[in-house]
Amino acid sequence: YQRRVHGDYILASIKKMRIFALIFLVIFSLCKFPPGFKFGAATSAFQIEGAWLDDDKAPSLADNIFHLPGSSKDNRAPDVGANSYHLYPQDIAYMKNNSIFHYRLSISWARIVPKGKANTII
């Protein structure tokens, strides 16, 4: 499952995730979980959402910080992330194909309350 967002950085991250997943499987195969215990996946809006200004989303504090010169190693803001905002059908298909049945979705508050006030929820 590869998405070319930031080239080699993403590919290196995927390789690290595969190594982590293998270690995780080895460790947890030795553990006993209660009957009915369910595994799942979770995301962080900033890392996965993308679409940083689409559909009236306001810039978040993190967005503003990462757009300052020198705020990241290569001066690129993570505006796209994994682009799940646009590619969620593929993400859902991936989870279904890999038997991930429990998923905690994270959505940026700046997307839900773009003006920062409760009476302006979109």
Side-chain angles (χ1 to χ4, degrees):
Y1 185 62
Q2 297 179 2
R3 229 184 250 166
R4 302 278 304 186
V5 178
H6 295 297
D8 294 336
Y9 174 76
I10 294 296
L11 292 175
S13 296
I14 290 170
K15 288 177 185 175
K16 289 177 187 174
M17 288 171 31
R18 287 181 180 156
I19 292 169
F20 176 77
L22 179 61
I23 293 168
F24 176 84
L25 288 173
V26 169
I27 291 171
F28 283 98
S29 68
L30 302 172
C31 297
K32 300 222 185 243
F33 292 92
F37 187 87
K38 307 288 185 197
F39 280 97
T43 61
S44 165
F46 189 69
Q47 296 166 341
I48 197 167
E49 194 175 78
W52 83 288
L53 286 179
D54 289 10
D55 297 328
D56 297 325
K57 178 188 174 283
S60 68
L61 180 61
D63 291 326
N64 290 327
I65 290 170
F66 274 103
H67 283 94
L68 295 173
S71 62
S72 66
K73 185 176 178 180
D74 56 3
N75 286 319
R76 289 190 296 183
D79 298 342
V80 178
N83 203 15
S84 193
Y85 188 84
H86 293 115
L87 301 175
Y88 71 90
Q90 290 125 299
D91 294 340
I92 292 169
Y94 175 82
M95 288 186 280
K96 183 178 180 183
N97 292 337
N98 288 281
S99 301
I100 299 172
F101 300 113
H102 305 281
Y103 175 64
R104 195 247 332 139
L105 171 69
S106 177
I107 300 172
S108 172
W109 275 108
R111 188 171 303 285
I112 299 168
V113 188
K115 296 188 187 333
K117 298 181 190 230
N119 61 349
T120 59
I121 294 175
I122 58 170

